[in-house]
Amino acid sequence: MQTNPTPPAYTSLVAVGDSFTEGMSDLLPDGSYRGWADLLAARMAARTPGFRYANLAVRGKLIQQIVEEQVPLAAAMRPDVITLVGGLNDTLRPKCDMVRVRDLLTEAVERLAPNCERLVLMRSPGRQGPVLDRFRPRMEELFACVDELAAKHGAVVVDLYGAPSLGDPRLWDVDRLHLTHEGHRRVAEAVWQALGHDAEDAEWRTPMAATPPPGWGARRVADVRFTRQYLLPWIARRLTGRSSGDGLPAKRPDLLPYELRQEDPA
């Protein structure tokens, strides 16, 4: 394996976004969420004493809310690294103005890129299945905008959408919208490598070993549970303009030293 003789010594990270960056559904014993951004911060903190981390993400946020509520704070912090993932919630709404989404994402990148050493954008992962298939044209239009902005502003793009492993339903929680811990671990590895660090898992893109699929009855039970507990409430929020993140604060609003926790991977 090729090694990087001079790995970057980033001293601070600010994460901007929605539930994906907040860490749902990587649940910890105390009921809080960890997620890929926390996992990445833990790795960087283990390498760099005094490493600082803020996570401004809040579940359910649309790109306009991210631009208004999170982007100014992140830019003012002027960290070494900013990660920005947003706009996907917009594409999943019944009505979505993609021109407006592109304009707002452009505004976010233009405000963040000059205020950090490295801006990281992502092509978000997409679970296989019929529920999301109807939204894929919008998603792919969003990702094309991400690629264009990255090329223009010198940002890094982490292509999670094109990773075969992250399309596997086994890496997604029962709500079929959020990654499991293993999914978040693979995302953290992808960003880690994109930032110039040596691979700790060179095979993060590789799909999991095949297992026998669940039987017809088990699939139907899972479908009914998903529809009642997640799909119908999700549709109701979309139709009424409500969000699962209404009234919730940022996950980690201040850029402070990250203290390694017992649950952090070695």
Side-chain angles (χ1 to χ4, degrees):
M1 181 184 301
Q2 184 178 1
T3 59
N4 186 343
T6 56
Y10 297 119
T11 63
S12 53
L13 166 68
V14 175
V16 173
D18 50 35
S19 60
F20 174 66
T21 301
E22 184 184 346
M24 296 175 71
S25 293
D26 184 10
L27 194 64
L28 291 171
D30 65 0
S32 64
Y33 293 111
R34 177 170 44 193
W36 66 265
D38 282 17
L39 292 167
L40 177 66
R43 285 195 190 187
M44 299 173 83
R47 167 170 289 196
T48 305
F51 181 83
R52 297 177 300 148
Y53 169 53
N55 189 325
L56 307 180
V58 178
R59 69 196 72 172
K61 291 299 183 182
L62 302 175
I63 186 62
Q64 181 170 344
Q65 294 170 308
I66 291 173
V67 169
E68 293 176 350
E69 300 168 11
Q70 299 179 32
V71 167
L73 297 176
M77 291 175 181
R78 299 187 64 87
D80 287 350
V81 179
I82 297 177
T83 63
L84 168 63
V85 188
L88 198 62
N89 283 332
D90 296 79
T91 69
L92 302 179
R93 295 269 171 159
K95 297 180 180 180
C96 175
D97 182 349
M98 285 304 298
V99 173
R100 179 65 173 158
V101 171
R102 290 171 61 96
D103 288 346
L104 287 164
L105 185 61
T106 299
E107 179 182 348
V109 170
E110 289 178 345
R111 295 173 69 178
L112 293 175
N115 289 293
C116 63
E117 182 177 338
R118 180 64 65 194
L119 177 62
V120 178
L121 307 177
M122 297 188 199
R123 294 163 55 92
S124 304
R127 183 187 189 276
Q128 298 172 359
V131 174
L132 290 181
D133 283 347
R134 61 174 296 191
F135 301 109
R136 290 193 189 280
R138 292 179 183 173
M139 294 166 60
E140 293 176 356
E141 183 177 349
L142 176 69
F143 299 154
C145 180
V146 166
D147 291 340
E148 294 169 6
L149 290 170
K152 182 177 180 180
H153 295 277
V156 172
V157 176
V158 182
D159 184 13
L160 305 173
Y161 186 70
S165 62
L166 294 178
D168 190 328
R170 291 173 294 175
L171 290 183
W172 293 78
D173 193 36
V174 292
D175 67 359
R176 306 182 184 180
L177 285 173
H178 300 106
L179 292 169
T180 63
H181 171 69
E182 174 60 17
H184 279 284
R185 184 197 68 78
R186 292 185 184 228
V187 173
E189 176 66 31
V191 183
W192 175 259
Q193 292 182 29
L195 288 173
H197 295 288
D198 294 334
E200 295 187 10
D201 175 12
E203 304 299 324
W204 72 267
R205 289 177 172 270
T206 303
M208 298 168 61
T211 57
W216 184 89
R219 294 198 304 272
R220 297 293 77 77
V221 169
D223 287 343
V224 171
R225 178 188 177 194
F226 162 71
T227 300
R228 289 178 176 174
Q229 291 187 230
Y230 300 103
L231 181 59
L232 293 179
W234 179 80
I235 291 173
R237 290 196 300 271
R238 299 291 82 77
L239 294 176
T240 59
R242 293 180 292 115
S243 167
S244 58
D246 287 347
L248 294 180
K251 178 177 184 177
R252 186 182 170 96
D254 300 312
L255 186 59
L256 297 173
Y258 182 90
E259 296 183 3
L260 292 171
R261 303 171 296 187
Q262 184 177 1
E263 62 266 21
D264 286 328

